[in-house]
Amino acid sequence: MSKAEAEKNSKPLFSVITVCRNAAEALKTTMASVVSQDFADKEYIIVDGASTDGSKGIIAAAGNGISRWISEPDKGIYDAMNKGVKMASGDWVIFMNAGDTFASSDTLSRVAEAMADIDPKTEVIYGDVIKKVGEKGEIIKKAEPMHNSHRMIFCHQSSFAGRESLLRHPFDISHKFSADFKFFKTLIREGAGSLKLDFPIAVFDTGGISNSRRSDGLADNMRVIRETDGLIRGLPHLLHLFPSWLLCRLRGK
């Protein structure tokens, strides 16, 4: 075995990255979910934005459950996510942010099994997401087949991206809400290969910033469309989003 082959074989298959700031209780939930995964070939990285609520102590107390972690100021969630990618060594990266959890304790095992005959050109693996409804209810939101759209066609927490793809196209931190949307649209425009899985990957915490500031998120999506598709080719997508943006603005959302 060559040195290059040995180094590749020593890398974990999955890098799970959690970014957080002052979300101690939500962080506990996410950490427990990641650590409980029954798949061994993984690493867990936490990027904390200099929390002041005790999060650092929670992370430090986890011991061997965390592969690497930092706590320092950042320029926003996407800057923190870029830091996490640079810290990662796995072939595939999934972001499981504070409050989010895997759908089950064997999720990574199921994904690895589905990857047995994966096309080498694949850069994105994704599946369905479970969204909480009220106190006890939940719905499964099905991911769509890969296509260029006016919005995310799957939940970011239910997707894995090749680490090399994330290094090639770091999240654009000028976008406060839709840098992940831009990343995936860029890969789609490049013709990146994908693998769609027909089972839930994550349980998504709907309390995030993109859900609480809906009009700002839609405006950022429209900006991404202009940057990736261009005004002419992106016009149908822009026309699709504009009424929703205007209604949200009128409602103060």
Side-chain angles (χ1 to χ4, degrees):
M1 179 184 295
S2 69
K3 180 180 179 181
E5 290 173 328
E7 289 177 348
K8 185 179 190 309
N9 289 339
S10 68
K11 292 194 298 185
L13 182 62
F14 299 119
S15 294
V16 184
I17 300 175
T18 294
V19 303
C20 57
R21 185 175 185 275
N22 290 336
E25 292 305 313
L27 177 60
K28 290 179 184 178
T29 300
T30 301
M31 288 173 58
S33 175
V34 176
V35 172
S36 71
Q37 287 296 297
D38 64 6
F39 188 75
D41 194 10
K42 67 181 185 300
E43 63 179 2
Y44 188 25
I45 295 165
I46 298 181
V47 182
D48 175 67
S51 291
T52 57
D53 66 344
S55 292
K56 289 185 285 186
I58 293 169
I59 299 169
N64 294 334
I66 311 300
S67 305
R68 287 176 294 284
W69 68 279
I70 58 172
S71 181
E72 63 184 28
D74 55 55
K75 298 176 183 178
I77 186 171
Y78 293 113
D79 181 40
M81 290 163 70
N82 284 336
K83 289 181 182 182
V85 172
K86 291 178 181 178
M87 294 169 64
S89 60
D91 296 311
W92 295 92
V93 174
I94 182 169
F95 291 95
M96 197 64 58
N97 294 336
D100 302 319
T101 61
F102 282 105
S104 63
S105 61
D106 65 346
T107 297
L108 290 181
S109 295
R110 295 183 69 187
V111 174
E113 183 178 359
M115 294 168 57
D117 298 314
I118 194 170
D119 188 317
K121 295 180 180 180
T122 300
E123 296 186 60
V124 181
I125 302 169
Y126 65 100
D128 305 332
V129 65
I130 299 172
K131 289 193 173 185
K132 294 291 186 180
V133 179
E135 289 294 323
K136 298 181 179 180
E138 61 184 32
I139 60 171
I140 296 178
K141 183 173 176 56
K142 303 291 289 184
E144 300 176 15
M146 187 67 80
H147 67 282
N148 192 17
S149 180
H150 63 282
R151 55 173 172 74
M152 290 282 288
I153 58 176
F154 48 79
C155 179
H156 194 177
Q157 283 79 354
S158 284
S159 67
F160 301 77
R163 180 172 175 269
E164 293 303 318
S165 302
L166 287 161
L167 291 172
R168 189 171 75 250
H169 297 296
F171 294 111
D172 182 350
I173 64 173
S174 71
H175 290 277
K176 302 302 181 185
F177 301 88
S178 304
D180 51 348
F181 179 47
K182 181 175 183 178
F183 168 75
F184 288 112
K185 276 183 74 72
T186 299
L187 291 188
I188 291 170
R189 296 283 297 172
E190 289 181 347
S194 63
L195 174 64
K196 179 179 177 296
L197 306 176
D198 293 321
F199 56 84
I201 304 297
V203 180
F204 177 51
D205 179 6
T206 59
I209 186 172
S210 61
N211 290 286
S212 61
R213 295 169 61 182
R214 183 65 176 152
S215 62
D216 289 340
L218 290 169
D220 209 16
N221 271 20
M222 289 191 285
R223 183 180 155 212
V224 166
I225 290 166
R226 293 195 301 271
E227 291 174 354
T228 56
D229 296 329
L231 182 59
I232 302 302
R233 299 180 74 172
L235 187 59
H237 295 328
L238 294 171
L239 291 175
H240 192 110
L241 286 179
F242 183 78
S244 297
W245 170 82
L246 182 59
L247 186 60
C248 285
R249 290 287 292 178
L250 292 173
R251 291 178 173 177
K253 294 183 178 180

